[in-house]
Every structure is written in structure tokens, then in C-alpha cells.
């Protein structure tokens, strides 16, 4: 069983791959990228919820920190959800420039967000929650997206 | 547990990096004007005052400004480190560095010792302030990744490059050029290029290439060992350069080998990247890889040509490699910062990153820049070409200035309007969830 840090870091890489394959298809036609967009947006939403509904809650309960790093990460999730929604709208209206403008912005936002989580938050979470690591990973894996 | 590295106000104020980024092209432009009005014979020697002026307008005015600006922004993201009182430190040191660089250029040009003394104080205090502040931030880092190690190592080189620079400047002020002047200036330039800039670029690229382009990750050997091998090479070169000059070429080969390997690795990683997008930043990474490869080979080969081509080596490595990467990064960082800070303050109807800089203008800037690099190299052999390519360089710097200012103007314009959301209330709501 992987640790919280390994599990969520690997999930970042998986979402990066989905993002790249969506963009790959979108270069030829936006229509062909729709399915991959749904897959990417769905898996990214799943990742956010695994954090917000499981890991962040456990971390906040353990450390008592509700307005610290997790609040910052939640805020960035909101920013990214809004960008993903706008990307979906650009796909519907077949606006290629808008789509790639949004995808570029999302990509950088996503990467700097992931970096902060991997560098700091996951490391801290692993330290505080090491005893419950397997249980938390299991809960994240079995979580149903709302 | 220290949570300061990852708090709501983690990102430094936008003014900290922007003040450095916005001034850099001005010094590029000054360098271009100096090239245009300098006699070609003076440019063929690296020791002429004109060559020294142009080199420092670019290395201090452009390279170090971009590197310092980027560090204020990247340290929190890549290392989770915060520079203490970043806004104030950036403001004061930026002022001192601008003042110091202008005094250096005008002082060396006119031979006015009062100006060079001001330069000594301005550059010495400005750089020291930033180096100490960044070092303080790095010392608090808990998770020492290869990128953080590279940043710290590069900072140590920066410190020594600064000390040597001040010694060299002092000898100009005292008008006492000793026999060691040449040796110190050699170490100053080689450590500046490969130790300060080179190691920082390699360290940051470990993160940036996989992050921005979904390129394959660097191998553990690259991330864990290569930097130390380069440091060893630079120390070996230092010792051989001072005591056993005949063997310096071996150390040169050692250092060159790893930079050559880096150049080819960058090219291959870009080929294997998963994101298909090819924007001007990819073009800049590619050009920097080609120029770095040519420059390192030439740097070693120059030993056998009596160091007659040092200016060309500087043009390829400084202009082609370091300059290229830095311009490329500016095109990514500035639009993102503008978007990030506006969105974070509650503005929702803002242009995307791609809409902030005119694509055609960024490509035009790239073409003028690369044409200038090639042309200036050719003018080393055909002096009549110098003027026309100096123009091309000047033009590329003017367009660059416009391109980096455009997103900042968007920022200023939107900031004057009322935000769509009150983010302070939003943040409290999120925090209480």
C-alpha cells in the first residue's frame, strides 16, 4: 500500500497525462477532445474531492489547522474548477483560441498547485497521519465522487 | 510545525518579481545601443572597456535581474520557502542594483571614479541584500529537493562572483590593475556563467520541463549527481587555472561535458514531451539548447586557438543559452502572475494567459533576437555586418519590453475596477469549512 504522499503524487501525474492527451486531441479538432476533456475533468474533480472530503479533513482534525495550508489549497481548487468549467464551455462553442488560452492558464496553475502540495502539504500530512496512512488511502480509493 | 511556507499570503506581492522583470529589457536595450555605437575592433577583445560594459549591461542588468525576480516568485512554489519582508527587500535592492548598474556603466565609460565608487556601493549592497534574504529563506526549507540544492549552490557561486566582481571594480577605482586581475576576471566570468546562472537553470529545469510541457522526468542520476559533478569541475578548473594552467583544459572539458549533456537532454525531453503545444517558450528552450551545445564545444576548442574566440563563446553561451531561456521564462511567468494575482483578488472576467501577450509579436521578437545572435557572431568575421544586426538586437529588446509590459498594463487596468467577488469573505468561508 502506498503512502498518502505517494498515492496523491501519482494521481497528479495521472491527471497530467490525461490533460496532455486531451490537448493532443484538441489540436486536431475540439470535437474529438470532448471525451478526453470529460475524463480529465472527472478525474481531476475526483482528486480534489479525495483531498477535500478525506485527506484535508483528517489533517485538519489532527492538527487543528483549518485556515492554514488546506484553506489555501481549497481556494486554488475553486480557481481550477472555474477554469475547467470555462474550458467545457469553449469546447461546446468550438472556440479554439479560448480553449487553449484556458488550458495554458489551468496547466500552470495546476502545476504550481501540485508543486506546493507535493513539497509541503503531503510531506506534512505524511508526518502527522503516518499511523493512519493505509486507512486514509483506502478511504480515498473507495470514495464516490459527489 | 512551520506552516508559514504554505499560507494564504504565500505568493509574494506581484510587485516584487515584476519590478525586476520590467527593468531587465531596458538594460538589454542599453546593451544593444552600446553594441551599435562601438567600434568593431573593441568588441573583438573581451578586455576592452566597451566589451566589459556590454557584458555587464546584459549579465547584471538582464540576467541577474531576471534570476532575482524569478527567485522571489519561485522559492515559495518550488521550495516552500519565504523570503523575509520580500516586498521591502525587493524594492530596496532593486533600487540599489539599478543605481549601481547605471553608475558602473557610466563610470567605466567615462573613467569617473566617483561613479564607479557609487557602483561599488550600489551593486555590493544590492546583491548582498538579495543573497542574504534568499539564503535566509532557503535555510528554513525542510524538504531539500534537487532544485532547492541547485538554488542554494547557485547562490553560493553568486556570492563569490559578487566578491570577485567587487575586487575587480575596486582595482578600476584605485587604478591599480594587478597581475591577478586577469585570473580573477576569468574566475569571475566562468563561475558567473556556469556556477551562478548555469546551475540555477539546470536545477529549475528539473521542475519546469516536466511541469510546463509534461516532458519525461529527469533521471535520478541527473537530479542527484550532475550538479555536484559540475561543482567539482568548477573547483578543479579554479585550482588548475591558478596553479597549473596547462591542465585547465581538462577541467574545462569536464564542465563542458555536463553542460553539453544537459543541452542534448533538454532537446530530447522536449521531443518526448506529452503536450503538443509549441509556443515561443518552446522555441526559446530549443534555441538555448543549440547555442549551449555550440558554446561549450567552442569554449574548450578556444584553448587551442589562443583564446581568440572568447567573445564568440560568450555570445553563444551568454546570449544564446542564458538569454534565450530567460526570455522564454518571462513569457510564461509574467502572464501567469498577472492572471494569478487578479483571479486571487476576486476578478473573474480576465483574459487568459495566451490573450495577454500578442503571439505574433512574441514570435517576431524571437526571430529578431535569433537573427541578431547569428548576425553578431558573423560580424566577428565580417565587421561590416555589425550595425545591421545591432539594430536587430535593439528591435528585439524593444518588442520584448512591450511584450512584458502588456500583461502588466492589463493588470493595472483591471485592478482599477471593482472585483467580481470579495475574496476576504470567501477565504474565511473556506477556512471555516
Amino acid at each position: 500500500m502506498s503512502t498518502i504522499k505517494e498515492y496523491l503524487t501519482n494521481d497528479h501525474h495521472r491527471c497530467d497525462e490525461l490533460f496532455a492527451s486531451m490537448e493532443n486531441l484538441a489540436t486536431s479538432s475540439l470535437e474529438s477532445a470532448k471525451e478526453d476533456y470529460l475524463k480529465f475533468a472527472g478525474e481531476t474533480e475526483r482528486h480534489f474531492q479525495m483531498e477535500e472530503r478525506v485527506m484535508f479533513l483528517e489533517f485538519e482534525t489532527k492538527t487543528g489547522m483549518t485556515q492554514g495550508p488546506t484553506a489555501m489549497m481549497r481556494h486554488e481548487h475553486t480557481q481550477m474548477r472555474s477554469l475547467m468549467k470555462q474550458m467545457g464551455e469553449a469546447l461546446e462553442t468550438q472556440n479554439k483560441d479560448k480553449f487553449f488560452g484556458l488550458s495554458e492558464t489551468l496547466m500552470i496553475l495546476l502545476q504550481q498547485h501540485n508543486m506546493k502540495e507535493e513539497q509541503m502539504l503531503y510531506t506534512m500530512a505524511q508526518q502527522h497521519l503516518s499511523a493512519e496512512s493505509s486507512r486514509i488511502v483506502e478511504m480515498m480509493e473507495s470514495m464516490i465522487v459527489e | 510545525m512551520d506552516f508559514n511556507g504554505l499560507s494564504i499570503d504565500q505568493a509574494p506581492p506581484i510587485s516584487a518579481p515584476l519590478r525586476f522583470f520590467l527593468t531587465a529589457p531596458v538594460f538589454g536595450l542599453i546593451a544593444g545601443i552600446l553594441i551599435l555605437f562601438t567600434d568593431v575592433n573593441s568588441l573583438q577583445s573581451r578586455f576592452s572597456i566597451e566589451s566589459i560594459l556590454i557584458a555587464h549591461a546584459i549579465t547584471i542588468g538582464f540576467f541577474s535581474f531576471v534570476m532575482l525576480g524569478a527567485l522571489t516568485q519561485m522559492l515559495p512554489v518550488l521550495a516552500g520557502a519565504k523570503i523575509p519582508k520580500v516586498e521591502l527587500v525587493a524594492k530596496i535592492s532593486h533600487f540599489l542594483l539599478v543605481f549601481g548598474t547605471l553608475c558602473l556603466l557610466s563610470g567605466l565609460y567615462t573613467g569617473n571614479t566617483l561613479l564607479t565608487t557609487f557602483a561599488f556601493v550600489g551593486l555590493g549592497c544590492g546583491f548582498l541584500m538579495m543573497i542574504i534574504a534568499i539564503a535566509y529563506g532557503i535555510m528554513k526549507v525542510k524538504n531539500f529537493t534537487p532544485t532547492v540544492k541547485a538554488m542554494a549552490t547557485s547562490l553560493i557561486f553568486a556570492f563569490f562572483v559578487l566578491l570577485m566582481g567587487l575586487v575587480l571594480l575596486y582595482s578600476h577605482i584605485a587604478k591599480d590593475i594587478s597581475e591577478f586581475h586577469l585570473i580573477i576576471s576569468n574566475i569571475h566570468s566562468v563561475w558567473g556563467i556556469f556556477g551562478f546562472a548555469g546551475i540555477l537553470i539546470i536545477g529549475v529545469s528539473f521542475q519546469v520541463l516536466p511541469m510546463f510541457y509534461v516532458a519525461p522526468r529527469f533521471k535520478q542520476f541527473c537530479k542527484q549527481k550532475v550538479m555536484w559533478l559540475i561543482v567539482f569541475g568548477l573547483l578543479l578548473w579554479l585550482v588548475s587555472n591558478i596553479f597549473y594552467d596547462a591542465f585547465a583544459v581538462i577541467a574545462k572539458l569536464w564542465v563542458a561535458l555536463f553542460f553539453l549533456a544537459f543541452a542534448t537532454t533538454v532537446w530530447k525531453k522536449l521531443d518526448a514531451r506529452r503536450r503538443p503545444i509549441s509556443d515561443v517558450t518552446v522555441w526559446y528552450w530549443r534555441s538555448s539548447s543549440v547555442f549551449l551545445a555550440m558554446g561549450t564545444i567552442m569554449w574548450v576548442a578556444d584553448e587551442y586557438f589562443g583564446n581568440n574566440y572568447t567573445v564568440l563563446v560568450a555570445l553563444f553561451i551568454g546570449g544564446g543559452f542564458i538569454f534565450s531561456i530567460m526570455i522564454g521564462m518571462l513569457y510564461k511567468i509574467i502572464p501567469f502572475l498577472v492572471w494569478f494575482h487578479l483571479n486571487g483578488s476576486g476578478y473573474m472576467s480576465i483574459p487568459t494567459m495566451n490573450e495577454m501577450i500578442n503571439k505574433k509579436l512574441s514570435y517576431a521578437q524571437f526571430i529578431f533576437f535569433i537573427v541578431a545572435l547569428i548576425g553578431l557572431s558573423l560580424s566577428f568575421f565580417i565587421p561590416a555586418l555589425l550595425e545591421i544586426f545591432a539594430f536587430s538586437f535593439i528591435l528585439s529588446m524593444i518588442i520584448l519590453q512591450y511584450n512584458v509590459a502588456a500583461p502588466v498594463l492589463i493588470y493595472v487596468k483591471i485592478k482599477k475596477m471593482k472585483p467580481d467577488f470579495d475574496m476576504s469573505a470567501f477565504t474565511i468561508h473556506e477556512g471555516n469549512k
Side-chain angles (χ1 to χ4, degrees):
Chain A
M1 176 68 78
S2 44
T3 63
I4 296 172
K5 185 177 178 175
E6 287 164 354
Y7 181 77
L8 289 171
T9 303
N10 286 337
D11 206 48
H12 281 163
H13 298 168
R14 209 170 55 83
C15 290
D16 287 349
E17 289 293 324
L18 291 173
F19 178 91
S21 92
M22 168 194 70
E23 262 195 344
N24 241 329
L25 288 170
T27 42
S28 45
S29 88
L30 288 187
E31 192 58 42
S32 64
K34 276 186 178 168
E35 199 179 315
D36 276 47
Y37 160 77
L38 289 175
K39 209 185 278 174
F40 162 71
E43 287 305 304
T44 306
E45 179 57 39
R46 178 183 170 75
H47 181 91
F48 290 167
Q49 290 197 23
M50 285 197 299
E51 292 180 335
E52 291 169 355
R53 291 172 47 212
V54 182
M55 198 277 265
F56 288 179
L57 285 183
E58 297 276 350
F59 180 82
E60 286 162 356
T61 313
K62 187 88 177 180
T63 62
M65 291 277 301
T66 53
Q67 306 217 15
T70 47
M72 171 71 177
M73 295 299 108
R74 280 197 165 98
H75 170 57
E76 290 189 356
H77 287 174
T78 314
Q79 286 179 300
M80 289 186 276
R81 282 185 174 113
S82 156
L83 280 172
M84 285 195 293
K85 188 166 161 269
Q86 291 177 58
M87 277 166 72
E89 288 160 8
L91 276 179
E92 286 306 321
T93 54
Q94 298 284 309
N95 188 338
K96 214 167 183 171
D97 280 349
K98 193 84 191 165
F99 177 81
F100 281 108
L102 291 163
S103 76
E104 181 66 24
T105 313
L106 175 67
M107 186 61 183
I108 311 270
L109 182 63
L110 196 63
Q111 293 303 332
Q112 63 96 39
H113 171 84
N114 291 355
M115 194 58 59
K116 284 186 268 189
E117 288 189 334
E118 290 168 26
Q119 298 287 335
M120 293 284 295
L121 185 59
Y122 294 169
T123 311
M124 282 167 9
Q126 194 54 44
Q127 283 168 355
H128 285 284
L129 304 168
S130 59
E132 298 104 300
S133 184
S134 315
R135 177 180 64 83
I136 293 170
V137 171
E138 242 166 65
M139 276 168 69
M140 289 194 288
E141 245 173 351
S142 57
M143 185 202 73
I144 295 164
V145 181
E146 280 178 353
Chain B
M1 178 65 66
D2 179 12
F3 289 101
N4 288 333
L6 202 72
S7 56
I8 297 287
D9 60 349
Q10 181 203 39
I14 194 168
S15 65
L18 281 191
R19 69 176 71 246
F20 285 103
F21 294 158
L22 285 175
T23 341
V26 178
F27 285 103
L29 184 60
I30 292 175
I33 293 168
L34 283 168
I35 297 172
L36 183 66
F37 289 107
T38 300
D39 177 58
V40 79
N41 293 321
S42 305
L43 290 182
Q44 288 184 335
S45 158
R46 57 175 281 216
F47 297 111
S48 68
I49 283 293
E50 290 84 355
S51 293
I52 294 174
L53 291 181
I54 293 162
H56 287 85
I58 291 172
T59 51
I60 302 180
F62 199 98
F63 296 172
S64 67
F65 273 48
V66 173
M67 285 195 280
L68 293 178
L71 277 171
T72 62
Q73 177 61 33
M74 283 173 151
L75 265 179
V77 176
L78 295 181
K82 239 174 147 180
I83 297 174
K85 303 224 179 301
V86 64
E87 194 170 13
L88 186 68
V89 169
K91 198 183 247 176
I92 298 174
S93 65
H94 174 262
F95 171 77
L96 288 169
L97 289 171
V98 170
F99 172 74
T101 314
L102 291 175
C103 287
L104 178 79
L105 299 179
S106 51
L108 286 180
Y109 188 72
T110 57
N112 182 326
T113 46
L114 183 65
L115 286 172
T116 39
T117 309
F118 280 147
F120 188 92
V121 177
L123 292 174
C125 295
F127 272 121
L128 264 186
M129 204 171 166
M130 278 306 276
I131 290 173
I132 292 170
I134 294 170
Y136 181 82
I138 289 181
M139 279 195 299
K140 301 232 158 184
V141 173
K142 297 217 163 53
N143 188 9
F144 252 73
T145 61
T147 300
V148 184
K149 283 181 196 158
M151 283 174 169
T153 311
S154 150
L155 205 65
I156 294 170
F157 276 104
F159 176 70
F160 284 109
V161 171
L162 170 67
L163 284 189
M164 286 184 273
L166 291 175
V167 169
L168 294 169
L169 184 54
Y170 180 75
S171 59
H172 278 281
I173 297 169
K175 304 215 186 300
D176 174 24
I177 308 288
S178 73
E179 54 183 309
F180 297 112
H181 194 87
L182 178 66
I183 293 178
I184 298 175
S185 80
N186 265 344
I187 302 167
H188 170 73
S189 52
V190 168
W191 276 25
I193 294 288
F194 293 105
F196 178 21
I199 287 180
L200 184 65
I201 290 173
I202 291 180
V204 170
S205 67
F206 291 155
Q207 299 281 8
V208 163
L209 285 178
M211 261 170 69
F212 290 172
Y213 307 104
V214 196
R217 272 149 224 287
F218 283 77
K219 292 199 170 76
Q220 279 305 316
F221 173 79
C222 293
K223 295 209 289 202
Q224 304 292 349
K225 302 280 190 305
V226 165
M227 189 192 74
W228 300 120
L229 292 169
I230 292 173
V231 171
F232 173 74
L234 287 172
L235 292 173
L236 191 68
W237 178 83
L238 171 80
V239 175
S240 58
N241 191 44
I242 298 174
F243 301 107
Y244 313 100
D245 197 33
F247 296 102
V249 69
I250 297 171
K252 263 190 170 186
L253 249 177
W254 179 276
V255 174
L257 188 73
F258 290 104
F259 275 92
L260 192 61
F262 174 69
T264 51
T265 308
V266 166
W267 189 274
K268 280 165 65 184
K269 298 260 175 230
L270 286 173
D271 274 347
R273 74 187 192 282
R274 295 273 290 112
R275 283 191 86 194
I277 311 300
S278 180
D279 56 14
V280 73
T281 67
V282 176
W283 290 19
Y284 266 120
W285 275 100
R286 295 253 193 222
S287 68
S288 74
S289 154
V290 172
F291 278 108
L292 176 62
M294 294 197 301
T296 45
I297 292 169
M298 214 159 172
W299 183 49
V300 178
D302 196 30
E303 280 285 309
Y304 298 100
F305 293 105
N307 293 320
N308 284 332
Y309 297 100
T310 310
V311 171
L312 274 186
V313 174
L315 196 62
F316 281 7
I317 298 184
F321 165 52
I322 302 175
F323 219 135
S324 284
I325 282 195
M326 290 191 176
I327 299 177
M329 294 314 294
L330 286 182
Y331 280 134
K332 274 256 188 274
I333 297 178
I334 297 178
F336 175 70
L337 284 182
V338 167
W339 186 91
F340 184 73
H341 282 270
L342 284 175
N343 193 277
S345 324
Y347 295 93
M348 297 296 140
S349 326
I350 39 179
T352 60
M353 277 174 68
N354 289 2
E355 291 162 329
M356 289 187 198
I357 296 178
N358 184 313
K359 251 189 179 162
K360 282 184 186 150
L361 272 182
S362 66
Y363 287 126
Q365 190 277 324
F366 173 84
I367 290 164
F368 280 120
F369 181 76
I370 297 296
V371 166
L373 275 183
I374 297 168
L376 291 173
S377 314
L378 288 177
S379 65
F380 189 79
F381 304 101
I382 315 166
L385 295 175
L386 184 78
E387 273 186 22
I388 182 164
F389 291 109
F391 264 120
S392 182
F393 184 76
I394 288 173
L395 211 53
S396 79
M397 286 300 117
I398 293 173
I399 304 174
L400 179 66
Q401 182 73 74
Y402 176 79
N403 286 347
V404 299
V408 181
L409 292 175
I410 292 175
Y411 177 84
V412 174
K413 200 174 145 196
I414 294 180
K415 264 284 181 181
K416 283 182 184 155
M417 297 189 279
K418 200 173 171 293
D420 301 302
F421 288 108
D422 181 354
M423 293 312 282
S424 55
F426 179 74
T427 303
I428 291 163
H429 167 73
E430 281 295 311
N432 288 339
K433 242 181 175 180

Coordinates of all heavy atoms in Angstrom, one line a residue, chain B residues 46 59 157-158 160-161 164 168 182-199 230 233-238 241 248 251-252 255-256 259 299 303 307 310 313-314 317 322:
Chain B
R46 N 37.8 40.8 -25.4 CA 36.9 40.8 -24.2 C 37.4 41.8 -23.2 O 36.7 42.0 -22.2 CB 36.8 39.4 -23.7 CG 38.2 38.8 -23.3 CD 38.0 37.5 -22.6 NE 37.7 37.6 -21.2 CZ 38.1 36.8 -20.3 NH1 38.9 35.8 -20.5 NH2 37.7 37.0 -19.0
T59 N 24.7 40.9 -18.3 CA 24.8 39.9 -17.2 C 24.2 40.5 -15.9 O 23.4 39.7 -15.2 CB 26.2 39.5 -16.9 OG1 27.0 40.7 -16.7 CG2 26.8 38.6 -18.0
F157 N 27.7 30.4 -5.4 CA 28.5 30.9 -6.6 C 28.3 32.4 -6.8 O 29.2 33.2 -7.0 CB 28.2 30.1 -7.8 CG 29.0 28.9 -8.0 CD1 28.4 27.6 -7.7 CD2 30.4 28.9 -8.3 CE1 29.1 26.4 -7.8 CE2 31.1 27.7 -8.4 CZ 30.5 26.5 -8.1
A158 N 27.0 32.8 -6.7 CA 26.7 34.2 -6.8 C 27.4 35.1 -5.9 O 27.9 36.1 -6.2 CB 25.2 34.4 -6.7
F160 N 30.4 34.5 -4.4 CA 31.8 34.6 -4.8 C 32.0 35.4 -6.1 O 32.9 36.2 -6.2 CB 32.4 33.2 -5.0 CG 32.7 32.5 -3.6 CD1 31.9 31.4 -3.2 CD2 33.7 33.0 -2.8 CE1 32.2 30.8 -2.0 CE2 33.9 32.4 -1.6 CZ 33.2 31.3 -1.2
V161 N 31.0 35.3 -7.0 CA 31.1 36.1 -8.2 C 31.0 37.6 -7.9 O 31.7 38.4 -8.4 CB 30.0 35.7 -9.2 CG1 29.9 36.6 -10.4 CG2 30.2 34.3 -9.7
M164 N 34.3 38.7 -6.2 CA 35.3 38.9 -7.2 C 35.0 40.1 -8.1 O 36.0 40.9 -8.4 CB 35.4 37.7 -8.1 CG 36.1 36.5 -7.4 SD 36.3 35.1 -8.4 CE 34.8 34.2 -8.2
L168 N 37.5 43.4 -8.6 CA 37.8 43.9 -9.9 C 37.4 45.3 -10.1 O 38.2 46.2 -10.6 CB 37.1 43.0 -11.0 CG 37.6 41.6 -11.1 CD1 36.6 40.8 -12.0 CD2 39.0 41.5 -11.7
L182 N 43.6 39.5 -14.3 CA 43.2 38.6 -15.3 C 42.7 37.3 -14.8 O 41.6 36.8 -15.2 CB 44.4 38.3 -16.3 CG 44.1 37.4 -17.4 CD1 43.1 38.0 -18.4 CD2 45.4 37.1 -18.2
I183 N 43.4 36.7 -13.8 CA 42.9 35.5 -13.2 C 41.6 35.6 -12.6 O 40.7 34.8 -12.8 CB 44.0 34.9 -12.2 CG1 45.3 34.6 -12.9 CG2 43.5 33.7 -11.5 CD1 46.4 34.1 -12.1
I184 N 41.5 36.7 -11.8 CA 40.2 36.9 -11.1 C 39.1 37.1 -12.1 O 38.0 36.6 -11.9 CB 40.3 38.1 -10.1 CG1 41.3 37.8 -9.0 CG2 38.9 38.4 -9.4 CD1 41.6 39.0 -8.1
S185 N 39.3 37.9 -13.1 CA 38.3 38.2 -14.1 C 37.8 36.9 -14.8 O 36.7 36.7 -15.1 CB 38.6 39.3 -15.0 OG 39.4 38.8 -16.1
N186 N 38.8 36.0 -15.0 CA 38.5 34.7 -15.6 C 37.6 33.9 -14.7 O 36.5 33.4 -15.2 CB 39.8 33.9 -15.8 CG 40.3 34.0 -17.2 OD1 39.6 34.5 -18.1 ND2 41.5 33.7 -17.4
I187 N 37.9 33.8 -13.4 CA 37.1 33.0 -12.5 C 35.7 33.7 -12.3 O 34.7 33.0 -12.3 CB 37.8 32.9 -11.1 CG1 39.2 32.3 -11.3 CG2 37.0 32.1 -10.1 CD1 40.1 32.4 -10.1
H188 N 35.7 35.0 -12.2 CA 34.5 35.8 -12.1 C 33.5 35.4 -13.2 O 32.4 35.2 -13.0 CB 34.9 37.3 -12.1 CG 33.7 38.2 -12.2 ND1 32.9 38.5 -11.2 CD2 33.3 39.0 -13.2 CE1 32.0 39.4 -11.5 NE2 32.2 39.7 -12.8
S189 N 34.1 35.4 -14.5 CA 33.1 35.2 -15.6 C 32.7 33.7 -15.7 O 31.6 33.4 -15.9 CB 33.7 35.7 -16.9 OG 35.0 35.2 -17.1
V190 N 33.7 32.8 -15.5 CA 33.3 31.4 -15.7 C 32.4 30.9 -14.5 O 31.4 30.2 -14.8 CB 34.6 30.5 -15.7 CG1 34.3 29.0 -15.6 CG2 35.4 30.8 -17.0
W191 N 32.7 31.3 -13.3 CA 31.8 31.0 -12.2 C 30.4 31.7 -12.4 O 29.4 31.1 -12.0 CB 32.4 31.3 -10.9 CG 33.4 30.3 -10.4 CD1 34.0 29.4 -11.2 CD2 33.7 30.0 -9.0 NE1 34.8 28.5 -10.4 CE2 34.6 28.9 -9.1 CE3 33.4 30.6 -7.8 CZ2 35.2 28.4 -7.9 CZ3 34.0 30.0 -6.7 CH2 34.9 28.9 -6.7
G192 N 30.4 32.9 -12.9 CA 29.1 33.6 -13.1 C 28.3 32.8 -14.1 O 27.1 32.6 -13.8
I193 N 28.9 32.5 -15.2 CA 28.1 31.8 -16.3 C 27.7 30.4 -15.9 O 26.5 30.0 -15.9 CB 28.9 31.8 -17.6 CG1 29.2 33.2 -18.1 CG2 28.3 30.9 -18.6 CD1 27.9 33.9 -18.7
F194 N 28.7 29.6 -15.5 CA 28.4 28.2 -15.2 C 27.9 27.9 -13.8 O 27.0 27.0 -13.6 CB 29.6 27.3 -15.5 CG 30.0 27.3 -17.0 CD1 31.0 28.0 -17.5 CD2 29.2 26.5 -17.9 CE1 31.4 27.9 -18.8 CE2 29.5 26.5 -19.2 CZ 30.6 27.2 -19.7
G195 N 28.5 28.6 -12.8 CA 28.1 28.4 -11.4 C 26.8 29.0 -11.0 O 25.9 28.4 -10.5
F196 N 26.7 30.3 -11.2 CA 25.5 31.1 -10.8 C 24.4 30.8 -11.7 O 23.4 30.2 -11.4 CB 25.9 32.6 -10.7 CG 24.8 33.5 -10.4 CD1 23.6 33.1 -9.7 CD2 24.9 34.9 -10.7 CE1 22.6 33.9 -9.3 CE2 23.9 35.7 -10.3 CZ 22.7 35.3 -9.7
A197 N 24.5 31.2 -13.0 CA 23.4 31.0 -13.9 C 23.2 29.6 -14.4 O 22.1 29.1 -14.3 CB 23.6 31.9 -15.2
G198 N 24.3 28.9 -14.8 CA 24.2 27.5 -15.3 C 23.5 26.6 -14.3 O 22.6 25.9 -14.7
I199 N 24.0 26.5 -13.1 CA 23.5 25.6 -12.1 C 22.0 25.9 -11.8 O 21.2 25.0 -11.6 CB 24.4 25.5 -10.9 CG1 25.7 24.8 -11.2 CG2 23.7 24.9 -9.7 CD1 26.7 24.7 -10.1
I230 N 29.4 19.1 -11.6 CA 29.7 20.4 -12.2 C 30.5 21.2 -11.2 O 31.5 21.9 -11.5 CB 28.4 21.1 -12.7 CG1 27.8 20.4 -13.9 CG2 28.7 22.5 -13.0 CD1 26.4 20.9 -14.3
G233 N 33.9 20.1 -11.1 CA 34.6 20.6 -12.3 C 35.0 22.1 -12.2 O 36.1 22.5 -12.5
L234 N 34.1 22.8 -11.6 CA 34.4 24.3 -11.5 C 35.5 24.5 -10.4 O 36.3 25.5 -10.6 CB 33.1 25.1 -11.1 CG 32.1 25.2 -12.3 CD1 30.8 25.8 -11.8 CD2 32.6 26.1 -13.4
L235 N 35.5 23.7 -9.4 CA 36.6 23.9 -8.4 C 37.9 23.4 -9.0 O 39.0 24.0 -8.8 CB 36.3 23.1 -7.1 CG 35.1 23.6 -6.3 CD1 34.7 22.7 -5.2 CD2 35.4 25.0 -5.8
L236 N 37.9 22.3 -9.7 CA 39.1 21.8 -10.4 C 39.6 22.8 -11.4 O 40.8 23.1 -11.4 CB 38.7 20.5 -11.2 CG 39.8 19.6 -11.7 CD1 40.5 19.0 -10.6 CD2 39.2 18.6 -12.7
W237 N 38.7 23.4 -12.1 CA 39.1 24.5 -13.0 C 39.7 25.7 -12.3 O 40.7 26.2 -12.8 CB 37.9 24.9 -13.8 CG 38.2 26.0 -14.8 CD1 38.8 25.9 -16.0 CD2 38.1 27.4 -14.6 NE1 39.0 27.1 -16.6 CE2 38.6 28.1 -15.7 CE3 37.7 28.2 -13.5 CZ2 38.7 29.5 -15.9 CZ3 37.7 29.6 -13.6 CH2 38.2 30.2 -14.8
L238 N 39.2 26.0 -11.1 CA 39.7 27.1 -10.4 C 41.2 26.8 -10.0 O 42.1 27.7 -10.2 CB 38.9 27.3 -9.1 CG 39.4 28.2 -8.0 CD1 39.1 29.7 -8.4 CD2 38.8 27.9 -6.7
N241 N 43.4 26.6 -13.0 CA 43.6 27.9 -13.7 C 44.6 28.8 -12.9 O 45.3 29.5 -13.5 CB 42.2 28.6 -13.7 CG 42.2 29.8 -14.6 OD1 42.8 29.8 -15.7 ND2 41.7 30.9 -14.1
A248 N 44.3 23.2 -17.3 CA 42.9 23.8 -17.1 C 42.0 23.2 -18.2 O 40.8 23.1 -17.9 CB 43.0 25.3 -17.3
A251 N 39.8 20.4 -16.9 CA 38.7 20.8 -16.1 C 37.6 21.4 -17.0 O 36.4 21.2 -16.8 CB 39.1 21.8 -15.0
K252 N 38.0 22.2 -18.0 CA 37.1 22.8 -18.9 C 36.3 21.7 -19.6 O 35.1 21.8 -19.7 CB 37.8 23.6 -20.0 CG 38.0 25.0 -19.8 CD 38.5 25.7 -21.0 CE 38.4 27.2 -20.9 NZ 38.8 27.8 -22.2
V255 N 33.6 20.2 -17.2 CA 32.4 21.1 -17.1 C 31.6 21.1 -18.4 O 30.4 20.9 -18.4 CB 32.8 22.5 -16.7 CG1 31.6 23.4 -16.6 CG2 33.6 22.5 -15.3
A256 N 32.3 21.2 -19.5 CA 31.7 21.3 -20.8 C 30.9 20.1 -21.1 O 29.7 20.1 -21.6 CB 32.7 21.6 -21.9
F259 N 27.5 20.2 -19.4 CA 26.6 21.2 -20.0 C 26.1 20.7 -21.4 O 25.0 21.0 -21.8 CB 27.2 22.6 -20.0 CG 27.0 23.3 -18.7 CD1 28.0 23.2 -17.7 CD2 25.9 24.0 -18.4 CE1 27.8 23.8 -16.4 CE2 25.6 24.6 -17.2 CZ 26.6 24.6 -16.2
W299 N 34.1 26.7 -26.3 CA 34.8 27.1 -25.1 C 36.0 26.3 -24.9 O 37.1 26.8 -24.6 CB 33.8 27.0 -23.9 CG 34.4 27.5 -22.6 CD1 35.0 28.6 -22.3 CD2 34.4 26.8 -21.3 NE1 35.4 28.7 -21.0 CE2 35.0 27.6 -20.4 CE3 33.9 25.5 -20.9 CZ2 35.1 27.2 -19.0 CZ3 34.0 25.1 -19.6 CH2 34.6 26.0 -18.7
E303 N 40.7 27.0 -26.3 CA 42.1 26.8 -25.7 C 43.1 26.6 -26.8 O 44.3 27.0 -26.6 CB 42.0 25.5 -24.8 CG 41.4 25.7 -23.5 CD 42.3 26.4 -22.5 OE1 43.4 26.1 -22.3 OE2 41.8 27.4 -21.9
N307 N 42.7 31.4 -27.2 CA 41.6 32.2 -26.6 C 41.2 33.4 -27.4 O 40.7 34.4 -26.9 CB 41.9 32.7 -25.2 CG 42.0 31.5 -24.2 OD1 41.2 30.5 -24.3 ND2 42.9 31.5 -23.3
T310 N 37.0 34.0 -27.5 CA 36.3 34.1 -26.2 C 35.0 34.9 -26.4 O 34.0 34.6 -25.8 CB 37.1 34.7 -25.1 OG1 38.4 33.9 -25.1 CG2 36.5 34.5 -23.8
V313 N 32.4 32.7 -27.8 CA 31.9 31.8 -26.8 C 30.9 32.5 -25.8 O 29.8 31.9 -25.5 CB 33.1 31.2 -25.9 CG1 32.6 30.4 -24.8 CG2 34.1 30.5 -26.8
A314 N 31.2 33.7 -25.4 CA 30.4 34.5 -24.6 C 29.0 34.8 -25.3 O 27.9 34.7 -24.6 CB 31.0 35.8 -24.2
I317 N 27.1 31.2 -25.4 CA 26.6 30.7 -24.1 C 25.8 31.8 -23.3 O 24.7 31.5 -22.8 CB 27.8 30.3 -23.2 CG1 28.5 29.1 -23.9 CG2 27.2 29.8 -21.8 CD1 29.6 28.5 -23.1
I322 N 21.8 31.4 -22.0 CA 21.2 32.0 -20.8 C 20.1 33.0 -21.2 O 18.9 33.0 -20.7 CB 22.2 32.7 -19.9 CG1 23.3 31.6 -19.5 CG2 21.6 33.3 -18.7 CD1 24.4 32.2 -18.7

